[in-house]
Each structure stands twice: as C-alpha cells, then as structure tokens.
Amino acid sequence: MQRAQPAPSQSAIKSLPDAIQKSLDEFIIHIKDVWFFVPDGKPNAKWVVSYADMPPETDTNDKGFKETSRYAGPLERARARALYRARQSPLNISLGTASDRPSNAWNREYWETNETLVHLANNCKRGEASREAIDRVRNAALNRIWGKAKEEVWREIKDIIPLEGPNKIKNDDLNAMINSVANPVAMEFASAAVLMARAKVVQDIDFALKDTHTSRAARRMEVWEKGYCLAADINGILYAYSALPIPPEQLRMRI
C-alpha cells in the first residue's frame, strides 16, 4: 500500500516501509557492536592487507614507503602503507597521471554506487528519507568510532612522545597529531556505513545492477566488521590495514 508523504514536522523515515525502518534501526545498533581495531585474523583473500611493520620485501612496490610523521604509531604506519600500496598499484598508475596520486580508479565503485542510490531514492520519492537516514547513520558511526580511534592512537604513541623536558610536545600539537590519524579513520568508517544506509533505504526496489551495488556496500562494511580498517579501493580491490605488526592467524579473543 502506498504510504502518505510525511508532514514537514514528521520524520521522513516514517514514510518508508516498516521493514526498511526496522533494517535501519538494526543497522544503527549493529554499528555500536563493531569490534574496531581488533581483527579476527581472517581477512578476505581478495583484500590487499597492510600491517604496521610489514617488511618492504613482502611487496615489490613497497620499497619507497616512508612513515608519515616522526611519532607514527602502528595505526598510522599501517594506514600510510595501505595508501601507498593503493597509489602504487598498477591499475591506479595506468588510469592516473602520477603514481603517487589517486587516479580516477580511486574509490570509483564507491562513487558509482553512491550516485546510483542517490538518484534511485530521489526518483522513488525517498530522497528526504534517504538524507535523514544517512544523517542518523553517519552520526551513529562517528559517535562510535571517533573516541575509539583517538584512544587507539594515544595508546600507541603515549610511550614514544616527549611529554616533559625541553622537547615537550604542546597539548595543541599533541591533539593535532592524534586527530591527523583518528579523523580520517573515522570518516572512512562513516563513509562505509553511509553507503550501506543508502542501500537499505531502497532495498525493496528492483533496479539495474542491484546485486552489484548492494554487494559493494556490504563488502566495504565487511572490512570494518572483521576488525580491519579500509584505506581505499581501486576498482573494487579493497586496500585494508591493521595496526598489528604481522599477519596473524587468529587474533580476536571473545570473552
């Protein structure tokens, strides 16, 4: 049955079918249960996974890698390595103008799916509901991961930075150092969650390449759900990373 459009004072999400409202609510709850920075030790075989202290000889394209800051902790090193490997990938180089910069292959699948889902929601008169849904999901994602990311970065660097003496780091500089790593990690997770929310808003509608677009959203979320982080994708090849020093067999300990 066709639902009436909500009054201006109503939540636009209330115009969506009950099953979709339930799915969105469950997804927000799911976000709160994600095990950030605690990998399960079983990454998808199709990912390119970087670890904090992976030796250069494990990847012939990795010999030019450099850390991004003087006091880089494991999470920062792993993320920088993943970004470097993505930029140096043959497909990124072949479709770009320089090997050290993102090309038009960088996150192409994300943007193709995002644009498709935005147009579909608007055409089905669910544009306002979609915007409200992604606002809720983005807020839930950032509220969940931002503090966790800052805690992780601080835990990693607190023993290697000078907090006293003539070389003492000022509080503002320390906060900037932490935020320079935590902020992009948080935004990367929020982007993955938002794409999944967009897919959920139109999950009951048939459209061209629906399985492809839904799969793209699910695959990005899978990286985070398994305790890894996502740096980029190059035409669907996901570049994930972990702050751990070496590829583990089994890491997640559930109590």
Side-chain angles (χ1 to χ4, degrees):
M1 187 174 77
Q2 183 74 29
R3 286 176 175 264
Q5 291 298 308
S9 60
Q10 270 188 295
S11 165
I13 291 179
K14 295 298 183 182
S15 68
L16 296 173
D18 291 341
I20 294 181
Q21 293 184 49
K22 180 180 178 182
S23 181
L24 287 169
D25 288 342
E26 290 175 344
F27 182 54
I28 289 175
I29 293 172
H30 173 65
I31 285 172
K32 298 176 182 178
D33 293 331
V34 173
W35 285 51
F36 294 110
F37 316 119
V38 186
D40 65 359
K42 301 176 182 179
N44 190 307
K46 295 181 180 180
W47 301 345
V48 177
V49 186
S50 295
Y51 297 89
D53 298 320
M54 182 181 288
E57 58 268 24
T58 61
D59 183 349
T60 57
N61 289 330
D62 205 18
K63 294 179 180 178
F65 168 78
K66 294 181 180 179
E67 293 178 2
T68 57
S69 71
R70 182 179 178 184
Y71 298 108
L75 189 65
E76 182 178 359
R77 294 199 304 273
R79 182 173 184 273
R81 188 178 298 279
L83 290 170
Y84 180 84
R85 295 175 78 185
R87 293 189 185 101
Q88 294 292 319
S89 67
L91 186 56
N92 187 62
I93 293 173
S94 69
L95 296 177
T97 57
S99 62
D100 62 342
R101 294 200 299 273
S103 74
N104 61 358
W106 195 273
N107 287 344
R108 174 189 283 175
E109 288 198 356
Y110 176 93
W111 292 112
E112 285 180 350
T113 293
N114 185 75
E115 184 176 356
T116 296
L117 297 176
V118 168
H119 286 319
L120 181 62
N122 289 334
N123 290 340
C124 296
K125 302 187 184 305
R126 295 184 182 182
E128 185 60 34
S130 180
R131 287 187 286 273
E132 184 178 324
I134 66 170
D135 282 345
R136 289 188 184 181
V137 167
R138 182 187 292 111
N139 289 339
L142 291 176
N143 286 340
R144 170 63 176 152
I145 192 174
W146 226 322
K148 298 282 290 184
K150 290 182 178 181
E151 288 175 5
E152 178 71 11
V153 176
W154 169 243
R155 183 186 65 78
E156 292 175 351
I157 68 173
K158 63 183 177 64
D159 294 328
I160 62 175
I161 59 174
L163 297 177
E164 298 180 351
N167 296 321
K168 176 182 177 180
I169 292 182
K170 297 179 181 179
N171 286 339
D172 288 347
D173 293 337
L174 177 59
N175 288 332
M177 186 186 307
I178 293 173
N179 288 333
S180 69
V181 181
N183 290 358
V185 171
M187 294 306 297
E188 286 157 1
F189 173 67
S191 294
V194 161
L195 197 66
M196 179 61 80
R198 288 197 187 280
K200 288 183 177 296
V201 169
V202 295
Q203 67 185 22
D204 62 329
I205 299 172
D206 290 329
F207 59 96
L209 300 176
K210 178 177 180 178
D211 290 345
T212 296
H213 292 298
T214 302
S215 175
R216 287 175 178 177
R219 286 191 296 109
R220 297 179 77 91
M221 275 299 300
E222 181 191 19
V223 175
W224 300 93
E225 290 165 343
K226 291 175 74 65
Y228 297 83
C229 302
L230 179 62
D233 79 66
I234 306 297
N235 272 23
I237 299 175
L238 301 182
Y239 285 78
Y241 62 97
S242 168
L244 292 159
I246 57 173
E249 292 184 359
Q250 182 67 37
L251 294 164
R252 185 172 296 179
M253 300 297 292
R254 294 188 179 275
I255 300 177

